[in-house]
Amino acid sequence: MEKTAKPSLQSTIRSAHDLIEAGLASESDRTHLETVAQHYATAVPPAFQALIEDPNDPIGKQVIPTANELITQNYEMNDPIGDEAFSPLPGLIHRYEDRVLLKPLLICPLYCRFCFRREHVGPDGGLLSKNDLTKAFEWIDSHPEIQEVILSGGDPLMLSPRRLSFIISHLSSITHIHTIRIHTRVPVAAPELINHELLQALDSEKAVWMVLHINHAQELGPSAKAAIKSLVKEGIPLLSQSVLLRGINDNLDSLETLLRSLIQLRIKPYYLHHLDPAPGTSHFHVPVEKGLALLKALRGRVSGLAWPHYVVDIPGGKGKVPLGPSYLLPKENSYNGEEKIYSFRGDIHNFR
């Protein structure tokens, strides 16, 4: 597709019609875009629209739906990391003993085309009811082994400041909770939401950490940088998580630039995720051998401050496994006493 003019920045793009009107898709794409929309939500907010120079650039590829999403591989699954098996109550995931994940909503400012929760998130995802939140708080309070609560979803910074403050305050009042961690895409996707009211809502005597999902340095435009700077000024420690994505950041220059850009903004690179096998995402897949080669090439080129953990979340709820030269297991080793860890061309799809 030829390079197009900048799309309209008046509102969030949510439909095939919107994409075509904004110049991010052609009329010939309408049928498959409408078919994809029957399964997965679309949202491209104004701030992200402003970053797209071409529908096939590293920003456009992340958020513009394509017919590739209609192709499902036999190893892909609706719940690729096994969340549902670890959910004691609506909105809660308790996979690890000392921490719990709380999903107060399933709404995001944008819908990444590779999202591992793409079957569940969307504009109709709604909020946890006050009753469900109360039950979640009571459950957390009754489990003293839990020291950390991770707010995810959906994107918790899409909550109103009032509701976010309500959640932060209740979690802060639980004696055995020491850390509140927030996973978000808002500072790059909808930086205008990082305002005084929201920053006040984040105030807590407990340690509040924030993990920003950023996949390419091009996401760090002036508005995003200003939003990140305001978070830094509040003294909130910032980490990043990125997904290794084919055609977006799976080359040495892009990955190095991303990591260096994050450090310059006082964001510590935390996780580089191997792609989770969600339905219709195989066109983003990067072989694990390539991920390892990229990490090896980066060693010595970037500061240790910029070094992320390259991890795979083993399907079925087995948890995250770090990958890298110092962690690589020999072929004869197995997990769960059954399958060899790299028995299929070194491809992580063997973790089924």
Side-chain angles (χ1 to χ4, degrees):
M1 186 172 181
E2 294 182 359
K3 190 171 182 178
T4 59
K6 287 279 188 180
S8 168
L9 305 181
Q10 297 303 309
S11 60
T12 296
I13 290 172
R14 298 191 181 277
S15 67
H17 173 79
D18 293 345
L19 287 163
I20 294 166
E21 286 293 303
L24 296 178
S26 64
E27 184 60 41
S28 62
D29 297 323
R30 185 181 294 273
T31 298
H32 73 248
L33 288 174
E34 291 177 346
T35 304
V36 170
Q38 294 174 21
H39 302 276
Y40 311 117
T42 295
V44 188
F48 235 60
Q49 292 175 49
L51 300 174
I52 300 173
E53 297 178 355
D54 181 276
N56 289 312
D57 72 9
I59 305 301
K61 284 182 177 180
Q62 292 186 57
V63 294
I64 299 172
T66 70
N68 290 325
E69 296 177 49
L70 302 174
I71 302 170
T72 301
Q73 305 294 339
N74 59 9
Y75 58 80
E76 294 176 343
M77 56 194 78
N78 293 340
D79 183 21
I81 66 172
D83 271 355
E84 293 176 7
F86 295 90
S87 181
L89 289 173
L92 279 184
I93 306 294
H94 188 212
R95 184 191 305 271
Y96 305 106
E97 182 180 4
D98 72 333
R99 75 213 82 140
V100 67
L101 189 145
L102 174 61
K103 299 183 290 183
L105 79 172
L106 292 174
I107 298 168
C108 298
L110 55 78
Y111 296 104
C112 300
R113 311 320 304 174
F114 48 86
C115 178
F116 71 95
R117 292 196 181 115
R118 65 200 319 252
E119 292 275 336
H120 308 289
V121 296
D124 299 324
L127 304 168
L128 276 187
S129 68
K130 186 175 181 180
N131 184 52
D132 283 337
L133 273 176
T134 298
K135 289 180 178 179
F137 296 145
E138 290 173 349
W139 189 93
I140 294 168
D141 194 25
S142 69
H143 287 73
E145 72 275 14
I146 295 173
Q147 299 186 31
E148 179 178 357
V149 177
I150 302 163
L151 297 182
S152 185
D155 195 313
L157 295 192
M158 291 292 285
L159 294 165
S160 70
R162 179 189 60 80
R163 194 171 186 87
L164 182 61
S165 178
F166 171 79
I167 292 171
I168 296 288
S169 296
H170 273 70
L171 293 176
S172 299
S173 70
I174 299 174
T175 305
H176 55 84
I177 298 302
H178 302 305
T179 305
I180 300 170
R181 193 198 319 174
I182 298 171
H183 286 200
T184 181
R185 201 113 158 82
V186 160
V188 295
E192 69 280 0
L193 296 180
I194 308 297
N195 54 30
H196 177 68
E197 290 74 22
L198 185 138
L199 293 173
Q200 283 188 315
L202 295 173
D203 185 50
S204 172
E205 293 185 1
K206 302 297 176 77
V208 176
W209 289 67
M210 192 170 290
V211 182
L212 310 183
H213 181 170
I214 303 169
N215 298 312
H216 196 275
Q218 192 175 320
E219 297 175 40
L220 297 166
S223 297
K225 289 180 178 179
I228 290 166
K229 186 176 181 179
S230 67
L231 293 166
V232 170
K233 282 186 174 181
E234 290 297 315
I236 299 173
L238 301 180
L239 305 173
S240 75
Q241 59 178 349
S242 308
V243 183
L244 188 60
L245 299 164
R246 183 164 68 186
I248 294 173
N249 58 15
D250 64 333
N251 64 80
L252 188 58
D253 287 344
S254 292
L255 203 53
E256 180 179 351
T257 301
L258 170 62
L259 298 175
R260 290 187 182 280
S261 298
L262 292 170
I263 288 295
Q264 289 169 16
L265 290 170
R266 303 184 188 182
I267 303 169
K268 170 69 179 80
Y270 179 37
Y271 279 143
L272 177 64
H273 290 273
H274 187 77
L275 181 71
D276 294 314
T281 63
S282 62
H283 54 294
F284 290 112
H285 173 69
V286 178
V288 71
E289 298 97 334
K290 184 172 183 178
L292 290 170
L294 286 169
L295 266 286
K296 183 177 181 180
L298 283 169
R299 178 69 74 181
R301 285 181 61 133
V302 298
S303 162
L305 288 173
W307 192 257
H309 297 290
Y310 180 34
V311 295
V312 58
D313 215 324
I314 303 176
K318 305 293 184 181
K320 292 184 180 66
V321 172
L323 303 177
S326 60
Y327 300 114
L328 192 62
L329 298 178
K331 288 184 178 180
E332 63 268 23
N333 283 7
S334 63
Y335 79 91
N336 205 27
E338 295 176 358
E339 297 175 334
K340 290 183 178 179
I341 203 162
Y342 287 113
S343 62
F344 180 67
R345 296 196 305 274
D347 194 302
I348 214 67
H349 291 153
N350 191 58
F351 292 97
R352 58 184 182 270

